[in-house]
Amino acid sequence: MTSAVETTLPGSAGAGTSNVDELARIVVRCMACEERFSGADVLTSCPACGGLLDVVIPTRRKLTPGELGVGVPAAGRHSGVWRYWPLLPGLPEDALVSRWEGNTPLFRDIRLTRYAGLADGHLELKHEGHNPTASFKDRGMTVGVSHAKAVGARIVACASTGNTSASLAAYAAAAGIPALVLVPEGKISAGKLAQTIAYGARVVQVEGDFDVALALLRELTAAYDVYLVNSVNPFRLEGQKTIIFEMMEQRDWQAPDWIVLPGGNLGNTSAFGKALIELHAVGLIDRLPRLAVIQAAGAAPFAAYHASGFEEFAPVEAETVATAIKIGNPASTTRARRSIELTNGWVTTVSDDEILEAKAIIDRCGIGCEPASAASLAGLRRLVRDGIVGVHESAVTLLTGHILKDTDAVAAYHFDNVGGGPRSGANRPIRVAAELSALEQALADALHR
Ligand code: AN7
């Protein structure tokens, strides 16, 4: 593609010849028309029919857990993504951009299990906030940016509700590739914006919501030679599969009955379905868990689509306190539908109040997460109450981002009492005179918390 701007873009384009050979061995396939393309191409939709693309991972041969670590390049040895090398696209080693992402904990807490309504020992929480930029996005970004580097991209770009932009900015900085990010003006958390600025991306605040920003960016990437890293990028989703790989490894390859996750643009939902199918195909798990996707009630087009028996999809104007998932027209809807169908999954919604209450309880257990993440626990509780998930079934919920991602949400809950009346467990700091007698009262209060 040519344009006036193109000649002014920085850096040198074009993959080295050895990279082209390695990239050409990777097969990318359209999930709609099954047309096949080369990994050396830069594609975020099928040039033939516009469908979403999958990287094809060979799964005919059975794998043992030990064989998963075979062939891991030195550059990815410490990464919780690249150590699953045989189930990832074989990118050239000199292109790998890693910040030791992944390697996240799987927590248990009896209080949260009881809050969900499950029998003791039946809930685990995979905390993806323990990633380098404090959200799960780093797992996809290490693969997306490594592919961008391998093909010689001169600039990488995304539209974001904040976490993708923070992650892209960091990995682009690590790779030495310029980054452009579009965020909805005034609608992402201050912490995420701060990360994106500090890591050095060119930040554009678009007048409009996330859906407007993504549509605008797709116009730009269609016209200019800009590498798009949103989750329509098939390489990014390959990295996000490793949340499932690591979760199953931590559970000694025993699948839970349910995996519960928040749904926004539906990249994780898409990646999780693919990951489970691949693990099952190579014999590392013997059954498929059911995926349960939880949307905020004010941003729930996928839940409505599911409720219609996947007959009618309609985008919505999104509104929710969980800004990360304030998305009304998810880019990966068709791929996410496939994940739900393949795993006999479910989709439901929770209110902002349910999200905030679940978040306060997760925080109070010393685990902590951002609001969007808490939708998973709130949703599980709802599903147990509705009888969709049985009390004696096992579940893993995904916590997608760190508590410090959105400190405004913490303040609003504990200080402002938005929506009237004190929130349950609200914890407002008190001011005292610098006198021992005043502290004695605080000591008595603290003992009773
Ligand atoms: C904390 O950063 O879409 O359903 O632009 O940041 O895979 O999109 C963030 C999404 C859940 C939803 N939890 O995941 C972005 C963006 C957190 C998130 C989601 C996001 P997908």
Side-chain angles (χ1 to χ4, degrees):
M1 258 164 269
T2 55
S3 71
V5 173
E6 200 177 2
T7 53
T8 69
L9 291 175
S12 63
T17 20
S18 63
N19 278 1
V20 171
D21 291 345
E22 280 180 79
L23 288 167
R25 281 198 285 272
I26 301 170
V27 176
V28 174
R29 185 178 58 207
C30 174
M31 65 169 280
C33 75
E34 303 197 349
E35 179 89 19
R36 295 159 86 90
F37 305 94
S38 156
D41 298 333
V42 177
L43 297 171
T44 48
S45 63
C46 174
C49 78
L52 291 166
L53 302 167
D54 287 319
V55 177
V56 178
I57 302 295
T59 53
R60 272 184 299 277
R61 207 170 65 77
K62 297 288 178 210
L63 287 176
T64 62
E67 285 169 325
L68 265 187
V70 172
V72 182
R77 218 176 32 230
H78 300 290
S79 165
V81 171
W82 294 107
R83 61 193 170 81
Y84 302 102
W85 182 254
L87 294 177
L88 293 174
L91 292 175
E93 175 167 9
D94 62 6
L96 294 198
V97 184
S98 169
R99 284 287 189 246
W100 296 33
E101 54 285 322
N103 305 305
T104 62
L106 188 67
F107 289 132
R108 285 177 175 226
D109 191 297
I110 185 75
R111 293 164 290 188
L112 298 180
T113 310
R114 292 191 178 148
Y115 181 71
L118 291 180
D120 294 359
H122 286 233
L123 175 67
E124 290 166 317
L125 303 100
K126 179 105 178 113
H127 204 328
E128 288 293 309
H130 290 239
N131 264 293
T133 76
S135 85
F136 72 93
K137 302 289 182 180
D138 297 336
R139 293 198 187 245
M141 217 47 82
T142 182
V143 182
V145 171
S146 296
H147 181 250
K149 189 172 168 195
V151 299
R154 295 183 299 181
I155 183 162
V156 290
C158 72
S160 176
T161 57
N163 279 327
T164 303
S165 63
S167 183
L168 176 62
Y171 280 79
I177 303 174
L180 171 72
V181 311
L182 273 58
V183 297
E185 185 176 25
K187 290 169 191 142
I188 78 169
S189 80
K192 296 171 189 176
L193 185 59
Q195 284 183 290
T196 310
I197 292 168
Y199 295 135
R202 163 57 66 208
V203 179
V204 180
Q205 297 187 290
V206 177
E207 296 170 12
D209 60 15
F210 167 83
D211 300 291
V212 169
L214 181 57
L216 185 63
L217 183 62
R218 293 192 82 162
E219 275 183 49
L220 183 82
T221 56
Y224 293 96
D225 190 9
V226 173
Y227 187 100
L228 180 67
V229 210
N230 276 95
S231 56
V232 286
N233 178 316
F235 286 89
R236 232 192 80 188
L237 291 194
E238 290 299 302
Q240 288 175 208
K241 291 189 318 192
T242 63
I243 299 173
I244 295 289
F245 298 166
E246 201 174 83
M247 175 194 300
M248 294 303 167
E249 187 174 48
Q250 288 165 326
R251 293 176 47 86
D252 291 327
W253 306 101
Q254 300 300 309
D257 295 309
W258 291 89
I259 294 172
V260 187
L261 71 159
N265 221 14
L266 303 175
N268 262 343
T269 308
S270 302
F272 284 18
K274 189 169 189 284
L276 290 167
I277 296 296
E278 289 171 0
L279 280 188
H280 192 250
V282 300
L284 282 168
I285 53 173
D286 58 12
R287 66 189 180 113
L288 291 178
R290 301 176 71 182
L291 288 180
V293 175
I294 316 300
Q295 296 206 289
F302 191 57
Y305 186 40
H306 174 254
S308 78
F310 290 132
E311 292 285 330
E312 281 167 54
F313 177 81
V316 302
E317 184 125 350
E319 190 50 62
T320 169
V321 67
T323 53
I325 52 173
K326 189 167 178 291
I327 295 172
N329 191 13
S332 295
T333 298
T334 49
R335 215 189 330 233
R337 171 184 173 172
R338 179 180 64 182
S339 293
I340 296 299
E341 289 176 340
L342 287 171
T343 65
N344 187 24
W346 198 261
V347 188
T348 196
T349 63
V350 287
S351 69
D352 280 1
D353 275 342
E354 286 173 278
I355 290 174
L356 292 175
E357 182 185 278
K359 173 181 151 54
I361 287 166
I362 294 165
D363 294 351
R364 186 74 172 83
C365 288
I367 290 177
C369 65
E370 67 167 286
S373 308
S376 59
L377 183 66
L380 175 60
R381 178 176 159 95
R382 173 66 76 90
L383 292 173
V384 173
R385 287 183 165 185
D386 289 350
I388 308 281
V389 173
V391 172
H392 291 281
E393 289 192 293
S394 56
V396 179
T397 60
L398 190 69
L399 300 179
T400 43
H402 197 275
I403 186 174
L404 291 176
K405 282 286 192 176
D406 193 347
T407 50
D408 288 345
V410 175
Y413 186 93
H414 290 281
F415 308 167
D416 298 347
N417 298 333
V418 176
R423 297 275 190 177
S424 83
N427 183 21
R428 207 185 160 82
I430 53 168
R431 294 184 72 212
V432 299
E435 288 165 7
L436 186 59
S437 60
L439 259 195
E440 282 165 355
Q441 183 55 47
L443 179 64
D445 288 349
L447 273 170
H448 291 103
R449 282 201 66 79

